[in-house]
Each structure stands twice: as C-alpha cells, then as structure tokens.
Amino acid sequence: MGHTDVRAPGASGMRGHAAAFVTRVTARGRLPLDYSVASLRVVDFLLDGLRKGGADTDRAAETLLGLGAYVGEVLVRRAGARWVDCDERQRDLFGQPVGVRMPDGRVWNPLGKVRNRFESGAPEDSLQTFYLTLHGRARPAPRRTRRAVA
C-alpha cells in the first residue's frame, strides 16, 4: 500500500492527536470540525485545497496525519470503532501503524484513506462517501414507539 507514517502515535495517542490537530486548525479559521459525519465534507474540501495549492505528499505529511487522525476519530465517535495498533500483516497491507476496528471486527485504515484521497483527488475517494458506505458500523438503536391502545 505504500509509505508508513512513522510519526503517527500509537492507538492510545490517536484521540489526543486528533484533538490537538482540530485545536490548531480551528484556531486559525472557523472550520466546522465537530466530529460529525457532515464534517467529513470539510476534510474533502481541505484535501482538495492542499492539492490545488501544489502541496506534495512530503510537504503535506503533518496535515495528512492530522486529517487521518480526525477521520479515524469520527469513526470512533460516530460508528462505534476503536483505535488499534496494527499487527505486522496489517502494517504491510495498510502502510500505517494504526487503524480502527469496527464493531463487527473489521479493521479500516483512515490514515491511508486520507493519503489516498489527497494523492488521487478523485471524487469517488471522498471521505464522507467512505463513511456512508462503510461496512461494520454500529447501527443506531431502534426507536421505541408507543403503541396506541384501541
């Protein structure tokens, strides 16, 4: 899959890394990075801006890591995932030291997904679409409705 980002913290440090990134980015502007699914469109927009600004993968590495941590944290907060340290096979496959494990046991690679979106710039690599089509998400609890008694 490619390049391993050795600067990425372990699974236990990813939530803090995402929070620090959001603090830095939102201090400069009013970006709605609120860990919502809708905020993943903002991530797509930021990645498009980096590409159009001429950033290459090496120059954008820190931002890509922050955005990957943010996307992973959205999966943790909204889809029931948890951060995990990748085993050797997963590191070889993903090219990243951490991923997220979904409630159904599948492991996904948000850091690599962000890098792929940046490198391709393709709309089909949208991070919001990734979330919406993601297998293994926790399903919302069914609503309880009161039945009318006749």
Side-chain angles (χ1 to χ4, degrees):
M1 169 126 255
H3 169 277
T4 299
D5 195 334
V6 295
R7 294 169 302 163
S12 64
M14 291 306 289
R15 174 168 271 189
H17 191 80
F21 175 78
V22 167
T23 298
R24 277 193 318 275
V25 171
T26 57
R28 294 184 216 141
R30 294 185 179 180
L31 294 174
L33 294 178
D34 59 3
Y35 301 98
S36 67
V37 175
S39 72
L40 295 176
R41 282 195 68 153
V42 175
V43 175
D44 285 330
F45 175 76
L46 291 170
L47 291 168
D48 289 341
L50 282 172
R51 283 178 55 79
K52 289 175 184 169
D56 63 21
T57 306
D58 290 335
R59 282 197 346 231
E62 192 64 35
T63 301
L64 295 176
L65 176 59
L67 289 169
Y70 177 79
V71 170
E73 193 59 24
V74 171
L75 295 176
V76 168
R77 295 179 185 204
R78 302 289 177 221
R82 65 182 171 84
W83 286 104
V84 294
D85 292 308
C86 292
D87 61 29
E88 186 176 337
R89 185 184 64 77
Q90 292 164 333
R91 283 179 187 254
D92 288 343
L93 177 65
F94 293 153
Q96 301 295 336
V98 295
V100 293
R101 184 176 304 281
M102 301 305 287
D104 72 352
R106 297 177 204 213
V107 176
W108 295 97
N109 178 16
L111 302 181
K113 185 66 178 165
V114 165
R115 181 177 295 273
N116 291 346
R117 172 67 165 92
F118 172 74
E119 290 174 353
S120 78
E124 60 269 16
D125 286 333
S126 161
L127 292 153
Q128 186 177 39
T129 301
F130 167 66
Y131 179 89
L132 295 172
T133 59
L134 186 67
H135 296 285
R137 290 189 317 231
R139 300 288 180 216
R143 290 185 186 181
R144 293 180 181 238
T145 58
R146 296 183 119 182
R147 293 187 178 178
V149 177

